[in-house]
Amino acid sequence: MTQKDITFVADFLTEHFNEAPELYNRKGKYFNVERVGQYLKDEDDDLVSPPNTEGNQWFNFLKDSTHLKESPLLFPYYPEKSLHFVKRQMEGVIDQCLQKPADVIGKSVHQAVCLSLYKISQSEDSTPQLFKLPFLWNDKTSNLHYVLFTMLENSVSKIHILRRHTDTSRSVSNGILAVEFGNFINNSINESSDSRCYSCLDAHFYDDETVTVVLKESVQQEGKERVLAQLPLS
């Protein structure tokens, strides 16, 4: 350590760990707590060593501003409280701001269609996750809304595409279909005629007319092939 380091530590100890008789009737140890740590305590008690705001340019600016001094747009300052206290106060204000939009939006949402994707036994204790990779895409040109997803269990080699018109009063043909990835792509990879099956690792819309999928060879061995394929919706 350099002499500068030793001096810094000594000054820190001198400033923060002096005996403080005025704190003897307070809970805890009889010296000033480290000034950073006190802000992180999750309690509503006042800070032991509140900050000195004298000369602070922002406070002086607010004090001299007639319009900003009582502005409801400024979050109130609590110089005697920890950051946890301020965080809870701010969360309460934010929740209050979001409550009205949540009520309005919630009342405007209604179910347009209900499709049964699978059934499970009522006796099962834990419901298996059969729905995977939901990806949403909105085709603004044709006013169509798409959902890409895969179903586990017996259909890992399939990707499902759900299509609905954004106008719920209208319907479109082929509302839901499944695309299965068999061994039809083998010739583009190698000349082997072995029957192979591929499962979908991920799927996203590339644009309004193309879907990009990442496929994995479904075999229990090392060196599984990965295929990046782009499928036209047509």
Side-chain angles (χ1 to χ4, degrees):
M1 296 179 65
T2 64
Q3 185 61 40
K4 184 178 180 181
D5 295 330
I6 297 175
T7 303
F8 176 79
V9 173
D11 290 343
F12 178 87
L13 295 175
T14 302
E15 179 179 359
H16 295 293
F17 293 92
N18 286 337
E19 287 194 3
E22 69 275 9
L23 302 178
Y24 284 174
N25 58 353
R26 296 284 298 270
K27 295 180 180 179
K29 300 177 180 179
Y30 300 146
F31 50 77
N32 287 336
V33 298
E34 197 273 312
R35 293 188 179 182
V36 174
Q38 64 177 344
Y39 289 100
L40 306 179
K41 291 184 177 180
D42 190 5
E43 55 188 30
D44 293 336
D45 294 340
D46 292 346
L47 297 177
V48 177
S49 300
N52 181 14
T53 59
E54 185 177 354
N56 185 294
Q57 295 180 345
W58 174 249
F59 291 117
N60 292 339
F61 172 71
L62 292 182
K63 190 184 301 181
D64 298 335
S65 174
T66 306
H67 300 289
L68 290 179
K69 188 183 300 182
E70 304 297 333
S71 173
L73 300 178
L74 292 178
F75 194 79
Y77 177 59
Y78 303 94
E80 307 289 334
K81 298 296 184 180
S82 72
L83 292 179
H84 278 282
F85 176 86
V86 177
K87 175 177 176 287
R88 285 195 296 270
Q89 295 290 320
M90 182 171 289
E91 286 175 341
V93 173
I94 293 175
D95 289 342
Q96 185 178 0
C97 292
L98 296 179
Q99 187 59 47
K100 185 66 174 179
D103 293 340
V104 174
I105 295 174
K107 293 176 181 177
S108 66
V109 174
H110 63 277
Q111 178 178 300
V113 64
C114 179
L115 299 175
S116 178
L117 298 177
Y118 57 86
K119 294 181 180 180
I120 59 173
S121 173
Q122 297 293 333
S123 61
E124 294 184 13
D125 296 332
S126 59
T127 303
Q129 180 189 1
L130 300 179
F131 191 73
K132 189 181 178 186
L133 294 178
F135 178 77
L136 308 180
W137 179 266
N138 184 248
D139 183 352
K140 295 182 175 61
T141 304
S142 303
N143 294 325
L144 295 174
H145 195 69
Y146 291 90
V147 183
L148 293 179
F149 61 93
T150 58
M151 303 288 290
L152 303 184
E153 301 296 323
N154 296 326
S155 57
V156 292
S157 63
K158 297 179 182 178
I159 179 175
H160 297 75
I161 304 176
L162 170 65
R163 181 175 69 173
R164 295 291 301 176
H165 203 285
T166 53
D167 183 357
T168 56
S169 63
R170 298 179 57 183
S171 62
V172 293
S173 59
N174 298 328
I176 185 170
L177 57 84
V179 179
E180 183 168 11
F181 304 100
N183 59 354
F184 65 93
I185 58 175
N186 270 0
N187 292 335
S188 64
I189 300 174
N190 54 47
E191 298 303 323
S192 172
S193 60
D194 295 340
S195 178
R196 298 185 180 185
C197 186
Y198 292 87
S199 59
C200 182
L201 287 177
D202 201 0
H204 281 208
F205 266 80
Y206 181 76
D207 55 29
D208 288 342
E209 301 174 353
T210 311
V211 177
T212 300
V213 295
V214 179
L215 304 176
K216 177 185 70 172
E217 188 178 2
S218 301
V219 292
Q220 299 297 327
Q221 65 183 34
E222 291 297 323
K224 295 180 180 179
E225 291 181 343
R226 301 291 193 272
V227 179
L228 179 66
Q230 288 198 304
L231 307 177
L233 277 181
S234 59

